């Protein structure tokens, strides 16, 4: 199965993206299946680089990134819950809801990358001074 995915990676990826785009407008409740499948296919394709990166990364850095991701998920949940009340109150149209979600997710991704790099550098300086 893994060899099949390695051989037909491009076709499978485009199929999942097309399926996700169709599900976005037809059946939103099944969109998570397409997204999860895309994540699995990507992780199988790049399994060697993921393994080497995890082996080279110190445990403390992995823990910092994991705690940061948990904090990000909690924060994003709170933001989405409170903003959904605002969206329902003013009955904002669906295309603007998707645009809002993309903006929130993209900005949180940029903030997460910047903040985690800052924390890892700060932790590295702290370890070097000890």
């Amino acid at each position: 199965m893994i060899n099949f995915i390695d051989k037909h990676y491009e076709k499978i990826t485009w199929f999942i993206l097309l399926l996700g785009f169709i599900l976005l407008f037809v059946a939103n409740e099944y969109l998570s299946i397409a997204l999860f499948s895309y994540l699995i296919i990507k992780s199988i394709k790049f399994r060697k680089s993921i393994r080497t990166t995890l082996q080279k990364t110190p445990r403390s850095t992995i823990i910092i990134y994991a705690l940061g991701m948990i904090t990000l998920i909690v924060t994003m949940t709170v933001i989405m819950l409170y903003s959904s009340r605002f969206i329902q109150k003013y009955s904002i149209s669906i295309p603007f809801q998707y645009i809002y979600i993309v903006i929130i997710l993209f900005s949180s991704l940029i903030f997460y990358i910047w903040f985690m790099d800052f924390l890892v550098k700060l932790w590295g300086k702290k370890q070097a001074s000890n």
Side-chain angles (χ1 to χ4, degrees), residues 82 106 110 112-113 119:
Y82 282 114
F106 186 71
I110 290 172
Y112 174 76
I113 291 171
L119 281 180

Side-chain angles (χ1 to χ4, degrees), residues 64-65 68 110-121:
I64 289 172
Y65 277 113
I110 290 172
F111 178 75
Y112 174 76
I113 291 171
W114 173 80
F115 192 67
M116 288 296 108
D117 285 342
F118 172 75
L119 281 180
V120 168
K121 288 177 185 175

Side-chain angles (χ1 to χ4, degrees), residues 11-99:
K11 295 174 189 171
I12 295 170
T13 302
W14 280 109
F15 175 74
I16 291 173
L17 289 175
L18 180 64
L19 181 67
F21 184 73
I22 292 169
L23 288 175
L24 184 66
F25 296 105
V26 177
N28 277 344
E29 59 271 5
Y30 298 113
L31 187 61
S32 60
I33 295 170
L35 293 173
F36 186 69
S37 301
Y38 181 75
L39 179 67
I40 294 295
I41 295 298
K42 287 290 252 188
S43 62
I44 289 173
K45 176 66 176 172
F46 298 107
R47 64 190 176 278
K48 292 176 185 171
S49 63
I50 292 171
R51 185 181 308 123
T52 56
T53 301
L54 286 175
Q55 288 173 348
K56 290 180 182 179
T57 306
R59 295 250 188 246
S60 60
T61 304
I62 292 174
I63 291 171
I64 289 172
Y65 277 113
L67 291 175
M69 183 56 74
I70 291 169
T71 306
L72 177 70
I73 290 170
V74 167
T75 306
M76 291 303 297
T77 303
V78 170
I79 289 171
M80 290 300 194
L81 288 175
Y82 282 114
S83 64
S84 67
R85 291 182 191 158
F86 174 81
I87 288 171
Q88 287 177 348
K89 182 179 178 182
Y90 293 106
S91 62
I92 297 174
S93 66
I94 290 178
F96 288 119
Q97 290 178 20
Y98 284 125
I99 291 169

Side-chain angles (χ1 to χ4, degrees), residues 1-9 12 44-45 47:
M1 183 69 169
I2 292 178
N3 290 333
F4 178 80
I5 292 172
D6 286 338
K7 185 177 179 182
H8 301 290
Y9 170 74
I12 295 170
I44 289 173
K45 176 66 176 172
R47 64 190 176 278

